[in-house]
Amino acid sequence: MALDPEKQISSLWKALQGSQEANRRTFYQMRRAAIEFAGPDANPLDIGVKAWEIIGKDMGKSNLPRMNLLKGEEGLMMSIARAYQGLWTTNGAVVKIEKGKSPNEIFIKWERCPWPTSAKEFGASMKEDLLGCDKYLQTFLDEVNAFLGTNLKIETQKAIPKGDGVCLRRLYKPEDK
C-alpha cells in the first residue's frame, strides 16, 4: 500500500488540533473543579491566575536546560522568546518574534491565540485570561532570573482579551543607572 503524504499530514494536523483543544479543555475543567472544591466564597479569578502561576513556574524550571546560555543576555533573551513562542504554538497560537530597536529588547507577538475563546467557553472573564497569561509569562521569567541571576522583564503592550487584535509583549533588560 502506497503512502499518501497529504492524507498523513491531514491526519496528523487533525490529531494535533484535537490535542491542543484537549489541553485547553483540561485546564478549564481543572479550574472548575478547583473553584467547586474551594466553595462558594472562592474567587474564580484568583484560582485561575494561581493555576497559571503554578504552570509558569514549572515551565520556567523545565525549560532552563534548553536555554542558550552561551551567547550572553541577548542570546538568553532570544532563547526565552523562542520558548514562549514554542509553548504557545504547541497550544494552537500563532506567535512571531521581532527584534527591538536595541539589543536589550525583543517583541513577542501573538497574532492568533485560542485561549481567550476557550476562556469564554468555560465562563472565565477576559480579565482572568489576560492576568493568567501575564502571570504565566512573568513567573516563567522569574524562574529564569532567579536561576541565572539576571533581571529581565516582560510587559504586555497589547492584548487580544482587551480587543487589541494581537498580544504584544516586550521582553527586555532594564537600563542600568
Side-chain angles (χ1 to χ4, degrees):
M1 174 182 251
L3 180 67
D4 182 349
E6 284 187 36
K7 188 174 182 179
Q8 290 293 93
I9 290 170
S10 293
S11 176
L12 288 171
W13 182 247
K14 279 183 170 179
L16 174 62
Q17 288 177 319
S19 178
Q20 292 166 339
E21 175 67 21
N23 186 46
R24 290 189 304 275
R25 292 183 68 76
T26 299
F27 173 86
Y28 282 106
Q29 290 163 344
M30 293 303 295
R31 173 189 170 273
R32 183 176 15 181
I35 291 167
E36 289 177 14
F37 184 75
D41 295 332
N43 183 338
L45 185 138
D46 291 343
I47 291 170
V49 172
K50 184 64 177 177
W52 281 113
E53 178 182 6
I54 292 167
I55 295 166
K57 184 175 186 119
D58 181 63
M59 294 308 292
K61 285 180 179 179
S62 69
N63 272 271
L64 280 167
R66 291 180 284 285
M67 296 283 167
N68 184 348
L69 307 176
L70 303 175
K71 294 187 178 180
E73 284 188 338
E74 190 176 345
L76 173 62
M77 287 174 48
M78 187 55 78
S79 252
I80 293 166
R82 286 186 180 132
Y84 288 151
Q85 179 185 41
L87 290 165
W88 254 262
T89 298
T90 59
N91 278 284
V94 175
V95 183
K96 307 286 183 186
I97 299 171
E98 301 169 0
K99 289 189 176 188
K101 291 180 182 172
S102 81
N104 292 333
E105 70 179 359
I106 294 175
F107 291 93
I108 308 157
K109 185 194 302 186
W110 282 250
E111 294 179 347
R112 187 183 76 220
C113 184
W115 283 92
T117 301
S118 293
K120 283 181 190 175
E121 289 173 1
F122 282 88
S125 69
M126 289 299 96
K127 178 180 180 182
E128 181 182 324
D129 182 67
L130 177 57
L131 290 176
C133 187
D134 284 349
K135 181 58 90 171
Y136 173 95
L137 296 168
Q138 187 59 56
T139 307
F140 181 109
L141 190 57
D142 289 346
E143 289 300 313
V144 173
N145 281 332
F147 185 77
L148 298 175
T150 53
N151 184 32
L152 301 176
K153 305 283 183 190
I154 190 161
E155 66 184 18
T156 298
Q157 296 184 333
K158 293 181 180 183
I160 293 169
K162 287 184 172 182
D164 291 329
V166 299
C167 288
L168 182 65
R169 269 85 180 205
R170 178 179 175 238
L171 177 64
Y172 67 100
K173 177 186 176 195
E175 298 288 326
D176 294 326
K177 294 184 182 189

